[in-house]
Amino acid sequence: MDHLQKISQEDLDTIYAHHQLWLDDRKKGQRGNFSFLDLSDLCFPEKATLKRVLIFGSRLTAMNLQEANLEEANLKNSDLSEINLSGANLSWADMENCSLTRANLEWAEMMGTNLHHAILVNANMRFSGLVMTNLKGTNIEGADVKGTLLEFRRQRPFLAEDQTEGEEET
């Protein structure tokens, strides 16, 4: 990821403002595209609305996106190590091949999120909602999943620590 372009905080703010206009009216503004950028030293507004944003192949290490709305965002192949996504809405986001090492995902909503081949080593996933989430090939070694809601095409959801011996996941 050494080939990533750096942008200024002013550039980030401009792209974000155009994205907000686009979310309100597709004829105004422009969809936010932060792809192939190093955003690690920059800041989005508190509780940022980044619904449907493009952040493909970017670096957002140690960024604070607490309670951000990243619903349907494309974060594929991005480095999100040590990012704070606590309370964030990541529903239907594409996070395939993302590095989320030591990320804070506590209370994050991840309904339908694609975490295929993501790296969640030592991540804090406490009390997150993983309903219909694609975890195929995902590395969650050392992740804290206490209280995490897991639902895999089941009729009733269950908590990770509630699974009894012999109960099958389908």
Side-chain angles (χ1 to χ4, degrees):
M1 289 200 155
D2 295 329
H3 61 283
L4 299 178
Q5 179 184 346
K6 295 281 286 176
I7 62 169
S8 67
Q9 182 66 50
E10 184 178 336
D11 289 339
L12 180 139
D13 294 342
T14 299
I15 296 168
Y16 180 79
H18 288 169
H19 183 70
Q20 299 314 296
L21 289 171
W22 180 82
L23 286 173
D24 291 337
D25 181 352
R26 300 292 192 266
K27 295 177 185 171
K28 296 179 182 175
Q30 183 176 345
R31 185 177 187 181
N33 190 344
F34 298 95
S35 298
F36 302 107
L37 297 176
D38 183 349
L39 306 172
S40 53
D41 295 325
L42 304 176
C43 299
F44 283 100
E46 272 188 46
K47 300 181 182 181
T49 301
L50 294 162
K51 183 176 181 175
R52 303 196 70 214
V53 75
L54 302 172
I55 311 180
F56 183 89
S58 296
R59 181 181 298 128
L60 289 82
T61 53
M63 185 174 268
N64 183 12
L65 286 172
Q66 182 175 356
E67 296 183 29
N69 182 351
L70 288 146
E71 187 177 357
E72 299 177 3
N74 183 343
L75 297 153
K76 200 172 186 176
N77 298 315
S78 290
D79 182 357
L80 308 173
S81 300
E82 299 180 9
I83 194 168
N84 181 5
L85 289 165
S86 63
N89 181 356
L90 297 161
S91 295
W92 307 106
D94 189 352
M95 301 176 80
E96 183 174 348
N97 294 317
C98 279
S99 174
L100 289 145
T101 302
R102 293 181 303 282
N104 183 0
L105 294 157
E106 189 169 24
W107 293 102
E109 179 61 48
M110 292 186 272
M111 176 186 265
T113 303
N114 181 15
L115 289 169
H116 185 250
H117 287 284
I119 301 167
L120 288 149
V121 173
N122 297 320
N124 176 5
M125 300 174 67
R126 294 170 58 101
F127 307 106
S128 296
L130 282 79
V131 177
M132 297 183 296
T133 301
N134 180 359
L135 295 170
K136 186 174 182 183
T138 300
N139 183 350
I140 60 168
E141 183 179 340
D144 185 350
V145 295
K146 182 179 180 193
T148 297
L149 175 68
L150 303 171
E151 184 178 340
F152 302 103
R153 297 188 195 109
R154 296 175 60 93
Q155 290 186 340
R156 74 171 185 87
F158 67 95
L159 296 175
E161 68 267 23
D162 288 346
Q163 186 174 5
T164 58
E165 191 174 316
E167 183 180 19
E168 287 185 30
E169 293 182 41
T170 56

